[in-house]
Amino acid sequence: MSNPTEPDTRGLAQQLESALEGEVRFSDSDRALYSTDASNYRQLPLGVVVPKRIDDIVAATEICRQHGASMFMRGAGTSLAGQCCNDGVVMDTSKYLDRLVELDPDARTATVEPGVICDSLRNAANRHGLTFGPDPATHDRCTIGGMIGNNSCGVRSVWAGKTVENVEELEVLTYEGLRTWVGATSETDYERITGSTAPNADLYLGLRALVDGNAAQIRDHFPQLPRRVSGYNLDELLPERGFNLARSLVGSESTCAIVLRAKVKLLTNPPAHCLAVLGFEDVFSAADRVPEILTHSPIGLEGMDEYLIQCVRTMKLSLQDLPMLPAGGGWLLAEFGGEDSVDARRKAEDLVAALGNGVNARIFDDPGQQARIWLIRKSALGATSFVPGQPPAWAGWEDSAVPPDRLGEYLRGLVELMSSYGYKAALYGHFGDGCVHTRIPFDLRSAPGIAAFRSFVEEAADLTLAMGGSLSGEHGDGQARGSLLPKMFGPRLMEAFRTFKRIWDPAGKMNPGKLVDAYPVDEHLRLGTAYRPSQAATMFAFPNDPEGFAGAATRCVGVGRCRNDTGVMCPSYMVTREEKHSTRGRARLLFELLQEGPRARDSEQGVKEALDLCLACKGCKSECPVNVDMATYKAEFLSHYYRRRLRPSSAYSMGLIHWWLSAGSRAPGLANALLAVPGVESTAKKLGGIAPQRRIPRLAEIDFRRGFTAPAAPESGGPPVLLWPDTFNAFMHPEVLHAGVDVLAGAGCRVSIPPRSLCCGRPLYDFGMLGLARRQLRQILDVLEPQISDGTPVVVLEPSCLAVFRDEMTNLLPDDARAARLKQQSFSLAEFLTEQLEGYEPPRMPSSALLHGHCHHKSVIGMGPDRKLLEGIGLDLTVPDSGCCGMAGAFGFEKEHYDVSIACGERVLLPAVRDTGAQTLLITDGFSCREQIAQTTGRDALHAAQVLRMASRRR
């Protein structure tokens, strides 16, 4: 029998569905998607609401109140303290409520809906020379509503302040149904409101009584430091602060009221920036100099320690950029803004001169170099979370802040405390504001480890508070620090906090258990002692995850880098804006599925649906800060899923494409003629699960192998090279491979090809046919064993095939030394010509070109050598941030994926192709990309090999 105090979930969901224009989701899968954020915590919400308009929020709140259901708000879900996980109804504003209502450059303000992404607002403001000052690390995906909830800060808070200093007014809604705009309140306004029968009169009266009764405590016991984010902002209700109700709600973490719209302040953006990078003996010495550096008014002042740089090097991140750092064991990055580059550089030089000879310094005024330095600092989370040979490092004490003049003292004490618990962690953060970030290798699975975790944060809190600090300097309190707040504020102010919440939320239904009367720090852990992942045998070895597939499923830490509009990851999220189609969402569902007992209730079908729109682009493998590899996870999952199910027809029509093309190549004229017969192609597409809008590519009249003649060996002998004939080019576009032969021969190489037809099995991965794929790879190793043993370079023109050699091959065959050797001696054409072939001089052919990188080219191989090579022949390249073309092998041909495939292409690439003049070359090495372009724009794109051959023939 259900608990009578619990909401009627089915009735609640039905009423929400009938009342809202937005989406209402109460399935197990949807609840699992929203069960955690970027923290250590996990709670299944009652259900999910995705409002399409502000009125949906109003209606949903009223319905939740009728049912007694608690609720909380969510933006990008990147909170590190557990603010965004609870057992009530969660409202996700990020999908639809992203409207910039008004931007007033004269008043330097903007009014936005809560789901507006920080960078969207900043980009709009930048067109007027303005910016929104707070810029947290998640600025390309976090929402303004989430920033208000957390009181977010960022790199430039020494100049711009926290979010609270940048909020002018808020339109808010209470759980009881009060909807009102709030902000600074003059005495006249206060008298007008409280002297009337206005519905908000009691709110103002209660808050005034609260602050009047606690003013001395607030003034005396609120830490006076730039990064006090912990607790409620009762200080903003003081008369000297203007009795500002809006700012008192900033940082309240959805525990008091819902933000419907926000009017925020904009700042004049410095036209020029200059970065002084300062090297010290260690991070403590660097911290000791922070107060002195602050007198020079930098707009950003960040710190990093030596262990962070060691982790960056171990993880092979920014290796080409690390030599830019000056010598030292601790570094400060001091950024200056100026009216122009001369002004900004002068400020940086003045600082360096003032610091004297004991500091190693380098000054960067080139924006590209500055971006590379900042990338080192921004790689901290990815560099320190999963370091090979080290236990995983987690949030939990990642956000403390102290007065900047005590930062060095605090860091010494923190390191000593960590050492006493056997922890070692990198130290970095916003040193100009005394804010320290770190991820610590807590054991969050065993009872002793969890006890040590709790004991450590208790002692760390004592250390921080002894120095006049704040438990949170940016990420908020949530559950991670909420139960520690009595240490910081004492009983009287804690009771004032409870009163503040009761005034706004008398029923206590807004995000309960967070910030005040919070759950203990060791409750609702995402892992915990009950964590018992499935240990089923897998096809892939998962060499970077000691616990195999289950360990890989814990790799996602929730920071949401996959929820943006740039780069490769995550194509389907970019066009659907759905959490379940982000890398993070899929990882969440896999995590749930792999748990034993009641935590495994989420069905395989829910995971299958989430993975269905994964294009296996591999963008997450390189762009995710912790290298979540969803393409591999998808292939592994499907291999298990289809062990007892029939695969779709597309698995046999396209997964087995190598065998179909090989058979058709024996009589290509007949095969092509059959497809030309009316009705035959449409029938073939229907039987093969192919979208009717697609055209089935035709076979070449003479496939590559039949048309190949080994070029004469150069007189000097020349280095040997094996050209890999991939299935698609070999049977449908042999001209690409012939161009590769000509280019390599023209470069003085002795070109050969494998003695028989081989396939890397790339199409098999999309359908989980991993047993067959493994057999294909073993066949390759057997056939190419002489060349592998001799160290002969293998040049691969198709990026997806090279990605197999670089990635899947060693993962499926981890104990075969030949696989490891082949990985090392396989190259793209550009890599081979620019990095392996000594003395190569490309031909010249000045022209303009649009270059699009295949997903695997960008994510696994890298486009640097290609740009170098093509620019070397004189091409003026345009390289749009086109992400995935949308074809992605079989994906774009499948009827159920056609619309998403086209939407991916139409996002950037296809419009760019249509806008490109006929005289501009279109270049992309991926067969899928060229096919998408041809079938949707009528333009023919070229492989780089064809461009190089074209250039050589113009000599």
Side-chain angles (χ1 to χ4, degrees):
M1 187 173 180
S2 64
N3 186 333
T5 64
E6 291 180 354
D8 171 15
T9 304
R10 179 175 297 180
L12 172 62
Q14 290 174 345
Q15 192 172 349
L16 287 168
E17 286 172 353
S18 31
L20 306 187
E21 183 181 337
E23 296 151 15
V24 178
R25 304 168 181 174
F26 275 61
S27 73
D28 288 345
S29 293
D30 288 311
R31 295 168 64 219
L33 283 169
Y34 289 82
S35 63
T36 187
D37 44 21
S39 72
N40 299 325
Y41 302 102
R42 173 191 177 274
Q43 286 181 273
L44 281 172
L46 191 64
V48 181
V49 170
V50 184
K52 278 193 175 180
R53 52 198 180 96
I54 297 296
D55 286 347
D56 277 350
I57 298 179
V58 178
T61 303
E62 170 62 20
I63 293 168
C64 286
R65 188 180 65 80
Q66 292 172 11
H67 285 261
S70 64
M71 56 190 299
F72 58 106
M73 307 301 292
R74 175 172 161 136
T78 58
S79 298
L80 284 144
Q83 298 95 317
C84 287
C85 46
N86 216 321
D87 57 5
V89 173
V90 54
M91 280 203 258
D92 180 355
T93 64
S94 66
K95 184 175 180 180
Y96 297 116
L97 297 182
D98 58 355
R99 193 165 64 99
L100 174 57
V101 179
E102 181 186 33
L103 195 153
D104 187 339
D106 294 327
R108 297 199 302 179
T109 62
T111 302
V112 299
E113 292 181 333
V116 168
I117 293 173
C118 178
D119 271 2
S120 297
L121 173 58
R122 293 170 68 192
N123 292 340
N126 283 344
R127 291 192 281 271
H128 303 279
L130 303 171
T131 191
F132 183 61
D135 59 337
T138 55
H139 55 79
D140 58 355
R141 66 266 193 196
C142 70
T143 65
I144 299 298
M147 294 177 68
I148 292 169
N150 278 6
N151 196 7
S152 301
C153 309
V155 169
R156 297 178 180 90
S157 61
V158 292
W159 164 66
K162 306 183 294 293
T163 295
V164 67
E165 283 94 34
N166 293 275
V167 166
E168 296 289 313
E169 298 177 46
L170 297 176
E171 184 185 16
V172 298
L173 174 72
T174 69
Y175 187 81
E176 303 298 318
L178 173 65
R179 181 176 178 179
T180 183
W181 279 91
V182 295
T185 311
S186 68
E187 195 60 31
T188 301
D189 287 339
Y190 177 80
E191 294 293 341
R192 174 180 54 79
I193 293 169
T194 58
S196 69
T197 58
N200 57 347
D202 287 344
L203 173 71
Y204 280 76
L205 287 168
L207 292 174
R208 173 63 66 88
L210 170 66
V211 73
D212 285 349
N214 292 278
Q217 283 284 313
I218 295 169
R219 292 186 180 103
D220 293 343
H221 295 286
F222 267 51
Q224 300 302 307
L225 70 164
R227 283 294 190 100
R228 196 276 304 161
V229 170
S230 282
Y232 289 127
N233 292 332
L234 301 186
D235 53 336
E236 294 292 347
L237 295 175
L238 292 169
E240 59 266 31
R241 298 284 189 94
F243 195 59
N244 196 317
L245 273 64
R247 292 186 176 182
S248 75
L249 284 173
V250 175
S252 59
E253 302 178 0
S254 191
T255 62
C256 294
I258 296 166
V259 174
L260 301 178
R261 294 183 182 89
K263 184 177 182 180
V264 298
K265 181 170 65 175
L266 303 176
L267 303 175
T268 301
N269 198 17
H273 291 188
C274 187
L275 186 64
V277 184
L278 312 170
F280 300 85
E281 179 182 358
D282 52 40
V283 71
F284 314 117
S285 303
D288 290 338
R289 303 297 291 274
V290 163
E292 178 184 358
I293 295 170
L294 288 173
T295 64
H296 291 260
S297 301
I299 63 173
L301 183 55
E302 298 289 289
M304 308 183 293
D305 75 349
E306 186 174 32
Y307 186 54
L308 171 61
I309 301 305
Q310 290 176 11
C311 293
V312 169
R313 188 172 286 111
T314 299
M315 296 297 292
K316 296 181 170 55
L317 303 172
S318 300
L319 291 180
Q320 70 278 16
D321 301 329
L322 290 178
M324 298 171 67
L325 296 176
W331 294 266
L332 295 176
L333 313 180
E335 184 180 59
F336 292 91
E339 292 301 316
D340 52 36
S341 58
V342 174
D343 180 36
R345 186 177 182 91
R346 176 188 56 77
K347 295 175 182 177
E349 290 175 340
D350 287 348
L351 168 65
V352 172
L355 291 175
N357 296 329
V359 178
N360 301 309
R362 296 192 68 186
I363 295 176
F364 300 94
D365 45 23
D366 175 74
Q369 291 180 321
Q370 292 180 47
R372 290 165 61 191
I373 292 290
W374 282 121
L375 189 61
I376 298 172
R377 162 63 183 86
K378 290 178 180 179
S379 67
L381 184 145
T384 60
S385 295
F386 297 96
V387 181
Q390 302 293 327
W394 308 102
W397 194 256
E398 81 299 332
D399 189 33
S400 52
V402 298
D405 60 1
R406 302 196 70 177
L407 180 59
E409 180 186 2
Y410 174 65
L411 292 181
R412 291 177 177 93
L414 183 61
V415 168
E416 183 179 351
L417 178 62
M418 286 194 293
S419 297
S420 72
Y421 279 83
Y423 301 144
K424 183 175 183 180
L427 300 171
Y428 53 94
H430 313 296
F431 281 18
D433 281 332
C435 183
V436 181
H437 294 328
T438 184
R439 294 183 73 87
I440 298 174
F442 299 121
D443 170 7
L444 298 178
R445 293 173 56 174
S446 74
I450 294 170
F453 158 66
R454 176 164 186 157
S455 175
F456 172 84
V457 297
E458 293 273 2
E459 289 196 57
D462 293 339
L463 173 67
T464 303
L465 299 177
M467 297 189 182
S470 173
L471 306 182
S472 172
E474 179 169 25
H475 300 154
D477 297 313
Q479 183 175 346
R481 286 166 284 275
S483 65
L484 301 174
L485 289 181
K487 286 176 173 283
M488 180 172 173
F489 290 102
R492 182 166 174 181
L493 281 176
M494 287 306 300
E495 187 55 39
F497 287 167
R498 293 185 185 95
T499 302
F500 181 79
K501 176 174 169 60
R502 281 196 298 270
I503 290 169
W504 288 101
D505 177 31
K509 294 295 186 178
M510 293 299 301
N511 207 11
K514 306 298 163 75
L515 205 147
V516 294
D517 298 319
Y519 299 113
V521 297
D522 53 359
E523 191 171 334
H524 298 305
L525 290 172
R526 186 162 71 100
L527 298 177
T529 56
Y531 174 68
R532 294 184 299 274
S534 170
Q535 299 296 334
T538 58
M539 298 294 290
F540 285 109
F542 298 98
N544 295 321
D545 295 286
E547 291 189 88
F549 196 15
T554 67
R555 182 171 282 271
C556 175
V557 295
V559 295
R561 177 69 179 81
C562 45
R563 290 174 52 98
N564 62 19
D565 293 319
T566 61
V568 180
M569 148 182 98
C570 187
S572 49
Y573 175 79
M574 291 181 186
V575 298
T576 67
R577 314 305 297 178
E578 283 286 345
E579 176 71 16
K580 75 176 179 180
H581 297 311
S582 68
T583 301
R584 181 178 72 179
R586 295 172 181 132
R588 292 275 188 266
L589 292 178
L590 280 169
F591 174 86
E592 296 287 329
L593 182 64
L594 290 172
Q595 308 316 302
E596 297 178 356
R599 296 176 76 173
R601 291 174 184 167
D602 193 4
S603 69
E604 282 185 318
Q605 196 58 38
V607 177
K608 171 67 166 55
E609 289 175 8
L611 290 171
D612 186 57
L613 291 190
C614 171
L615 285 80
C617 68
K618 292 181 177 287
C620 50
K621 187 175 178 67
S622 60
E623 294 181 3
C624 169
V626 291
N627 308 119
V628 167
D629 183 4
M630 194 53 61
T632 297
Y633 305 171
K634 176 183 179 180
E636 183 67 52
F637 169 82
L638 292 177
S639 74
H640 294 264
Y641 183 83
Y642 284 120
R643 283 177 181 171
R644 55 188 182 277
R645 295 178 175 91
L646 185 67
R647 286 181 169 85
S649 58
S650 55
Y652 306 102
S653 65
M654 289 180 277
L656 304 179
I657 190 70
H658 173 71
W659 289 271
W660 291 114
L661 294 180
S662 182
S665 69
R666 297 171 185 169
L670 175 60
N672 292 336
L674 282 174
L675 287 174
V677 174
V680 171
E681 182 173 12
S682 60
T683 300
K685 288 190 285 189
K686 186 174 182 179
L687 292 173
I690 299 171
Q693 302 91 329
R694 290 297 187 188
R695 173 183 176 272
I696 298 178
R698 292 338 190 223
L699 288 162
E701 289 300 319
I702 301 176
D703 67 72
F704 172 72
R705 182 170 293 279
R706 288 168 54 203
F708 173 75
T709 301
E715 293 181 5
S716 60
V721 61
L722 182 81
L723 180 68
W724 174 260
D726 64 277
T727 294
F728 293 101
N729 285 319
F731 292 117
M732 290 184 281
H733 292 286
E735 66 275 10
V736 171
L737 290 164
H738 288 303
V741 171
D742 292 346
V743 169
L744 291 169
C749 298
R750 290 183 288 124
V751 185
S752 63
I753 64 174
R756 55 169 295 185
S757 180
L758 299 169
C759 180
C760 71
R762 164 56 62 195
L764 300 171
Y765 299 96
D766 295 333
F767 303 101
M769 297 176 169
L770 299 186
L772 184 54
R774 182 183 280 168
R775 290 197 292 274
Q776 291 292 98
L777 294 176
R778 284 196 175 119
Q779 183 182 62
I780 291 170
L781 297 177
D782 291 341
V783 173
L784 299 187
E785 187 159 5
Q787 289 87 357
I788 295 172
S789 297
D790 291 343
T792 301
V794 179
V795 172
V796 185
L797 300 190
E798 171 56 41
S800 60
C801 295
L802 181 55
V804 171
F805 295 164
R806 294 273 178 90
D807 185 10
E808 283 91 352
M809 178 173 277
T810 52
N811 204 341
L812 281 172
L813 302 172
D815 299 321
D816 195 322
R818 298 173 302 174
R821 288 200 294 270
L822 181 56
K823 175 180 180 177
Q824 297 301 318
Q825 62 196 71
S826 298
F827 307 98
S828 70
L829 180 64
E831 285 178 325
F832 179 74
L833 294 176
T834 62
E835 299 174 358
Q836 302 297 316
L837 192 61
E838 188 174 348
Y840 174 73
E841 290 291 336
R844 296 285 297 172
M845 186 181 69
S847 185
S848 61
L850 184 148
L851 174 65
H852 166 75
H854 182 285
C855 289
H856 296 173
H857 207 149
K858 288 183 280 196
S859 58
V860 178
I861 303 163
M863 294 295 293
D866 297 80
R867 297 188 64 158
K868 179 180 179 180
L869 178 64
L870 294 172
E871 289 172 347
I873 70 175
L875 295 183
D876 180 14
L877 295 178
T878 298
V879 187
D881 185 13
S882 48
C884 180
C885 74
M887 185 64 85
F891 183 91
F893 278 96
E894 293 177 288
K895 61 183 179 181
E896 63 270 27
H897 296 149
Y898 176 78
D899 290 341
V900 171
S901 168
I902 294 300
C904 288
E906 292 292 353
R907 198 180 62 83
V908 174
L909 175 62
L910 301 180
V913 169
R914 295 188 191 102
D915 291 343
T916 298
Q919 301 305 311
T920 299
L921 299 173
L922 303 177
I923 306 173
T924 181
D925 284 0
F927 167 83
S928 291
C929 308
R930 296 196 302 274
E931 194 65 28
Q932 179 81 308
I933 290 170
Q935 293 209 15
T936 55
T937 71
R939 296 286 300 273
D940 290 325
L942 300 173
H943 191 286
Q946 295 173 290
V947 176
L948 286 168
R949 182 171 64 177
M950 185 189 306
S952 66
R953 289 177 174 177
R954 292 189 181 183
R955 279 179 169 170

